[in-house]
Amino acid sequence: MASFLTTSATNDILEELIENALDRLVTSGHLEFREGKHYLTQKGKDAGGEFRMSPKFGPFFLWPDGVTV
């Protein structure tokens, strides 16, 4: 019998993965967290990271393929 995840459970998992990734990027110095928001550091910029704003989804970061933290 196949197992299924609800949309809510899937969203919870994705949110946790994103938070873990953001935490790792802060720990590695690629991002900093202040005033409740994440900001790209010079180290993040040097690694090829970019900040973008989507009218539909809001702020996000782009990272080149192969970035290690």
Side-chain angles (χ1 to χ4, degrees):
M1 185 168 154
S3 296
F4 296 94
L5 289 174
T6 65
T7 300
S8 177
T10 302
N11 284 341
D12 290 345
I13 291 168
L14 289 174
E15 285 180 25
E16 186 175 332
L17 289 172
I18 290 167
E19 281 304 311
N20 286 338
L22 290 171
D23 288 346
R24 289 181 66 187
L25 288 162
V26 169
T27 300
S28 69
H30 290 81
L31 294 178
E32 66 177 338
F33 187 75
R34 59 183 154 83
E35 300 172 5
K37 297 179 183 177
H38 287 93
Y39 293 88
L40 194 60
T41 64
Q42 189 60 50
K43 182 176 180 177
K45 292 175 188 176
D46 292 344
E50 298 177 19
F51 173 79
R52 298 283 175 93
M53 181 63 80
S54 164
K56 186 173 183 179
F57 300 108
F60 65 97
F61 297 97
L62 289 177
W63 300 96
D65 195 26
V67 138
T68 57
V69 294

